[in-house]
Structures are given as C-alpha cells and as structure tokens.
Amino acid sequence: MASNNSSSFLRDQLLCSICLDVLIQPVSTPCGHNFCMNCISTYWDSVTDCRCPICKEHFKTRPNLKVNTFILEVVTQFQLQQLPEIHARPVAVAAVAVEAAAVGGSHNVRCDVCPGDTQDAFMSCVQCQRSYCHAHLEAHETDGTLRAHTLVAPLENLVVRVCQEHHRLRLHFCRDDGQLLCDTCAAGRHAGHHFVPVEKACQEKRSVMVHMEARALMMMDKRREKVGALKEAVTQNRADTRDMLGKFAGSFGKLLSELLGVRDWLEKVTQEKQKADESWSDKMMVSIEKEIVQLSSTVEKMQELKNTKDQLLLLLQDDVALPLTEDLQVMSRSTLTQDVHMSVKTAMTKIQELVGSMSRDMEVVWSTGGEWQVVTPLQDLLQYQEEVLLDPDTAHPLLLVSEDRKQVKYGLSLITAQVPKPSMFTEHLAVLGTRGFSSQRFYFQVFVGHKTEWCLGVATASIQTRETLTRSTSTGLWAIWFLMNRFEAYGCPDVPVHIGKVELVGVFVDYHGSKVSFYNVQTEELIYSFTDCHFREELFPYFNPCDNEFGFNMEPLVIVPVSPTDD
C-alpha cells in the first residue's frame, strides 16, 4: 500500500501543471516550477507578459529554457517502475525498453536469424535493427561490443521506429513537421515545436479515422440507397417502356391499317376515275369530231358564196347558218389530278385525326430547341399526386398564407412585428412547401387564375432565402415565371418558352429521371420541361405570387387537388 502511495505521490510531482500529464521534455523556470517545454512555450506565446502560470512571478525577459536532464531521468525511472516486468539490463537499456512498450512492442515478431521465419523473437536490437530469439540473443549477452547495444521488447519495422542519427526509439510525433522524433531530436532542432507522445498521436489519428470511417459508411449507405432507388427506377422505366411500346405498336398498327386502307381506296378511286374519264373523253371526242365535219361543210359553203361574182346572187342567197354544237365550257370536266388531290386531302385529314388521337392517348416524341424529348401525357401523371402544404416559417413578411396552408398571396400582414426566422425568404416574395421530396415522382396542381405575374416550381433544401437569387441554372430553383402573356424558364431570362395564359398549372417531378415538367391542366398541353437536372438533395414546392408591378395581382396562388373527373 505504501509503495502505491509513493508511486502516486511521485506521479503527482511529475505532472505538468498546464497539460496535467507526465512531463515531456521537462524544463524549469527561474522561479523553480517545472513544465513541458512545449506547454510553457505555447502559454508564453499566448500572453502579453512573461510570467509563471503558478506563482505569477514576472520575468523581464523571456527565459531561454533547456531540458532539465535530472528531471528527465526521474521521469524515465518513474516510467520504468510502471512496467510489470523488465529485463535486467543497464538503466539506459531498460529505459529504452519502456520506450519500446510506448511505441507498440509486439510478441508476434519473428527472429530475423532463424531460417524459415518460424521462431518468435525475444528482443530487438536498436543498433543492429534486427530481432532475435533466445538462442540468437546470446551473443549480445557475451560479446563485449554487443553488450553495449540497446535491447528492447520485440518490434517490427525497426528501420522506421529507430532514429538513424541517434539510435534511439522515436517516442514523439512533431505536429509542426509531421515527423517521428527521438528524445534527442525533440530537444535539438525541433525544440519549441508542438509534439505529443506517439501513443497519443496514434489515439488522435485513430479517432479521426473512426470519424472518417463512420462518414464513409454513411456515404456508402446513402449510395446503396441511391443504387437501390436507381434500380427501382430502371425497373419502373422498363415497365413504362414496355407499356409505351405496346401502345405504340397498337396505335401504329391502327395507323398503318388506316394508311393501307387509304392507299387501297385511293388506288380504287383513281382507277375508277380514270376509266370514267376515258369513257367520257371517248364520247366527247366522237361528238366533237362530228361537229368538226359539220363546221367544215358550212365553211365550204360560205367560201363558195363569198367568192361568187354575181352580186345579186350573193344578196338574194339565204345566209348559211352554223350547225348546232355543244358549249365547250359545259363539255369540260374536272381533271384527274384535281380529283386525286381532293381525295388525298380527305385522306390526310383522316390521318391527322388519328395521329392527334394517338398523341392524346400515349407518349409522343417532340422536338424543341433542336433536342428530342419524351412528353408524358398528363393523365398518366395524376397517379403521382402528393399532398402539398405551405410552410409559413419560410414565407416572406409581405406574403399572407391561409390558415389551411393551401393559399398564398401578396399583401400586408396584420401582424406588424414578425420574429425573423432563419428559413424565411427576405429578398423574394416566396414560400416553400412543408415537405421535401427525393427518390420518387410527385405531382401537384396550382390554380393561378387571372394573375398577371407569378413564379412556380421546386427548390432545393439549401436554396438561399436571405439573398437575391441569380437567374442561372445553378441557383437550385427549377421554376417557370409567367409575366403578362408569356412564360420564361427562371434560369434563362428573356427567353420565352411558351406564349399564352394558363389558369391551372400541373407540376410533375421525376427525381431519378432528373426532370421537372409544367402542364396546362385544362388543355393537357406541356408548357415546359427541365431535363438533366442532376438532383442531389430534397426538393420543396416553391411558390411566388409576385407583387402588383404589372397591374392588379392580388389573387392568391391556390393548391388544388386533382378532381375526380381527371382520374
């Protein structure tokens, strides 16, 4: 018991009053108090006047402290006493054995001399930088030169662990230079640097690695979740593709059948028309040839009468009458080309009606801006409807949110003093939905009525609420902006994407498809689509009713459910 009390007392005397740990590179101040060299140096660097942290004695000039070798030896002896076993070698050797334990001695190190690397090592030699079993260690016990070598507990990688300049174990880690140091290096060219025991540096590094490992595992989980969601999306897309191809096959089969029927009908009509025209033409040519003969006879009579020299005979002769003939205008008939043209026009009208029906019943391909996109019919999106409520904590102070959180409009609130909230918009007249969406498809509808200006879409969770949003694609906002009579994509200012007014807007988001689409619900017409959006966080519905800058605009934006007739 007395021994334990003595050891505890000695440990208390060897503690640094600053770091409260056993002294490392102990130094003594002129007033007689002991500290770690790094601790007292750091303390004096942080204060304006140089004084002792314990007795507060003031020093006119900063003392040039040196390592107190006597106290260093006492610390070494104290550490030696804390080991349960130590080999009977000189004190210096035993002290290094303590050092070996501090840097991670191992009992699984193999003897470097035994063939086959099968015998466990008993000790390691700092100078030889090799490990030996009991048998091969005998030379270090008998040879006079080798007896001066320093033996330590078995260690691996001695070349790294031993200071090649001073042949001492590296017990310290210099944080300033990121190097392992022995006592001599620490007291020499690294004096004044911030260094800690190797064991503590390892603990800190392990702590950092544990944190990084946890973060990596979390990232792996998120990515596994992402992969699962992507696989689910791929499966869903495959099913959608099969359905779409089935619809295409049926519709195009019907279209092809119609086209073949139109072709057969045109061929039949054309052939019948040709035969009728040929028969009619033959009859007309026979009749016309008869009229030509009659006219020719009449012309001969006129020529004879015209050429007579007897004036009385010319005057008394009855006039020669022209034969009765058909009016050539009445005899004319519409040409084959004109009739065929009318037939083709009629057929094309039927085909256009069929294609229009196809475009309403299935996905069709359309081109805008030189890029092909797939437009999903509005009826197919209604199944993804989600309940959307407004979050008053995000609403700009000049916006009024209804009690049921389904409407928002511009206007002065009766509450004149609002407590600012971190999530509140202060630069844009906007409000977000309460719920964020990710890894899924969702759809909602908003009644905009006859408003002259509004902005509607979805925004990321990290959207800036206290700053002006730049109108670019990197803002984190995918929205359309209606102004007077035209639409613009918020990220592409002054570029109209649609002309005309809309009263009811449908917003559809395909998170994994990286797509946001806006529809005119009444006409089921696509207004605009954002593609290749690369979402990385939750998306929140975004509403901006705007002010009265362009005329009366006090009507609210109203979130409305899908009506039963739309199902």
Side-chain angles (χ1 to χ4, degrees):
M1 178 67 71
S3 177
N4 289 339
N5 291 337
S6 176
S7 176
S8 177
F9 173 77
L10 180 58
R11 176 181 175 82
D12 291 342
Q13 299 304 311
L14 297 178
L15 291 181
C16 172
S17 300
I18 297 177
C19 67
L20 302 179
D21 204 347
V22 177
L23 292 165
I24 300 176
Q25 284 190 295
V27 294
S28 301
T29 60
C31 58
H33 294 105
N34 302 317
F35 305 93
C36 298
M37 176 180 284
N38 186 70
C39 291
I40 189 63
S41 298
T42 303
Y43 172 75
W44 282 343
D45 289 340
S46 64
V47 296
T48 56
D49 57 343
C50 187
R51 62 178 64 236
C52 175
I54 298 178
C55 66
K56 306 302 181 183
E57 180 177 344
H58 178 74
F59 307 115
K60 293 182 178 180
T61 58
R62 181 167 174 168
N64 185 16
L65 302 179
K66 303 293 184 182
V67 174
N68 190 321
T69 57
F70 174 75
I71 298 178
L72 178 61
E73 188 64 26
V74 174
V75 172
T76 303
Q77 290 290 345
F78 171 76
Q79 292 176 331
L80 175 61
Q81 293 175 7
Q82 305 311 304
L83 291 180
E85 295 182 6
I86 193 66
H87 295 282
R89 295 300 298 273
V91 174
V93 175
V96 178
V98 177
E99 297 173 351
V103 295
S106 173
H107 297 289
N108 297 322
V109 179
R110 303 299 181 184
C111 177
D112 293 327
V113 181
C114 291
D117 193 27
T118 58
Q119 187 67 32
D120 287 342
F122 177 64
M123 297 288 284
S124 296
C125 178
V126 174
Q127 282 76 15
C128 298
Q129 296 185 9
R130 304 183 73 182
S131 298
Y132 302 98
C133 62
H134 282 284
H136 292 108
L137 188 64
E138 184 178 355
H140 281 73
E141 300 291 342
T142 58
D143 185 276
T145 303
L146 296 179
R147 281 180 61 85
H149 286 192
T150 302
L151 299 179
V152 297
L155 291 173
E156 294 179 325
N157 301 324
L158 281 169
V159 175
V160 178
R161 296 174 182 269
V162 175
C163 175
Q164 302 299 311
E165 181 180 355
H166 304 109
H167 301 289
R168 292 182 62 84
L169 288 178
R170 295 170 170 172
L171 297 177
H172 311 289
F173 178 75
C174 178
R175 287 178 171 170
D176 296 336
D177 297 331
Q179 297 179 359
L180 292 173
L181 310 176
C182 69
D183 285 334
T184 306
C185 291
R189 61 177 177 270
H190 290 270
H193 287 192
H194 185 203
F195 51 86
V196 296
V198 169
E199 183 178 2
K200 184 175 181 181
C202 290
Q203 291 176 351
E204 292 175 351
K205 190 166 185 177
R206 287 191 182 96
S207 176
V208 172
M209 293 178 67
V210 167
H211 175 73
M212 293 181 64
E213 180 184 10
R215 184 177 177 184
L217 291 173
M218 181 179 65
M219 294 172 66
M220 289 170 58
D221 291 340
K222 288 185 177 180
R223 278 150 181 77
R224 289 193 182 100
E225 181 182 350
K226 182 74 171 181
V227 169
L230 288 173
K231 289 181 179 178
E232 181 181 351
V234 169
T235 302
Q236 181 63 42
N237 286 338
R238 287 176 178 172
D240 293 344
T241 299
R242 287 194 297 269
D243 294 342
M244 181 178 67
L245 292 178
K247 290 181 180 179
F248 270 125
S251 298
F252 275 106
K254 184 178 179 181
L255 177 60
L256 181 59
S257 177
E258 290 285 343
L259 290 174
L260 292 176
V262 170
R263 184 198 64 180
D264 295 341
W265 177 75
L266 286 175
E267 289 180 354
K268 181 179 179 181
V269 169
T270 303
Q271 292 173 355
E272 291 177 354
K273 183 64 176 175
Q274 180 183 0
K275 291 179 181 179
D277 284 350
E278 288 179 355
S279 176
W280 180 84
S281 298
D282 290 341
K283 293 179 181 180
M284 293 305 297
M285 284 188 291
V286 171
S287 177
I288 291 173
E289 287 177 354
K290 289 181 178 179
E291 291 180 352
I292 291 175
V293 171
Q294 294 175 356
L295 290 171
S296 177
S297 175
T298 301
V299 169
E300 290 178 358
K301 291 179 180 180
M302 288 183 177
Q303 289 178 347
E304 290 178 359
L305 184 59
K306 181 185 66 173
N307 294 329
T308 182
K309 295 181 180 180
D310 189 345
Q311 296 179 350
L312 294 177
L313 179 61
L314 176 62
L315 294 174
L316 296 175
Q317 182 68 37
D318 294 333
D319 293 334
V320 179
L322 292 175
L324 296 176
T325 59
E326 295 288 345
D327 187 350
L328 292 178
Q329 295 294 331
V330 176
M331 294 172 61
S332 65
R333 190 171 185 178
S334 60
T335 64
L336 176 63
T337 302
Q338 292 174 333
D339 288 343
V340 172
H341 175 73
M342 293 300 297
S343 300
V344 171
K345 185 176 181 180
T346 302
M348 289 303 298
T349 300
K350 294 182 178 180
I351 294 173
Q352 289 173 355
E353 291 176 355
L354 180 60
V355 171
S357 175
M358 288 173 55
S359 65
R360 289 189 296 271
D361 296 339
M362 62 188 301
E363 292 187 348
V364 297
V365 176
W366 68 292
S367 177
T368 178
E371 297 182 359
W372 290 95
Q373 300 183 21
V374 177
V375 181
T376 306
L378 181 61
Q379 291 296 327
D380 293 347
L381 306 181
L382 303 183
Q383 59 181 311
Y384 300 109
Q385 180 186 210
E386 293 288 348
E387 178 75 9
V388 174
L389 298 176
L390 301 174
D391 183 2
D393 289 343
T394 64
H396 188 280
L398 295 180
L399 294 184
L400 300 177
V401 177
S402 63
E403 291 185 2
D404 63 358
R405 294 188 290 174
K406 288 287 188 177
Q407 301 184 30
V408 59
K409 66 179 181 178
Y410 171 72
L412 295 177
S413 173
L414 296 178
I415 303 176
T416 56
Q418 296 192 48
V419 179
K421 301 178 178 63
S423 59
M424 178 184 293
F425 282 94
T426 57
E427 297 296 326
H428 287 255
L429 296 171
V431 59
L432 297 179
T434 56
R435 177 186 172 191
F437 298 88
S438 64
S439 305
Q440 67 183 72
R441 299 172 178 177
F442 65 96
Y443 173 85
F444 61 95
Q445 291 184 165
V446 180
F447 180 76
V448 298
H450 300 287
K451 291 179 66 62
T452 56
E453 184 184 11
W454 49 266
C455 188
L456 183 65
V458 291
T460 58
S462 61
I463 189 171
Q464 294 292 334
T465 58
R466 298 302 184 94
E467 300 178 4
T468 302
L469 300 177
T470 58
R471 296 194 61 182
S472 67
T473 56
S474 60
T475 304
L477 175 62
W478 293 269
I480 54 173
W481 184 17
F482 175 77
L483 180 61
M484 301 302 287
N485 197 39
R486 74 172 192 172
F487 291 84
E488 295 178 4
Y490 188 83
C492 303
D494 301 323
V495 179
V497 298
H498 187 79
I499 301 297
K501 290 186 176 181
V502 175
E503 292 187 5
L504 186 59
V505 180
V507 182
F508 173 68
V509 177
D510 185 352
Y511 195 95
H512 290 299
S514 303
K515 187 175 181 180
V516 181
S517 300
F518 300 85
Y519 289 83
N520 181 344
V521 176
Q522 293 171 305
T523 63
E524 300 187 10
E525 177 186 7
L526 177 72
I527 299 174
Y528 185 71
S529 281
F530 294 95
T531 57
D532 299 327
C533 299
H534 305 297
F535 305 124
R536 294 182 176 84
E537 53 184 302
E538 284 187 320
L539 299 177
F540 290 79
Y542 172 91
F543 306 83
N544 187 333
C546 299
D547 55 20
N548 291 327
E549 181 180 358
F550 298 98
F552 182 78
N553 195 37
M554 296 296 291
E555 295 182 7
L557 294 176
V558 183
I559 303 170
V560 296
V562 175
S563 62
T565 57
D566 292 333
D567 295 337

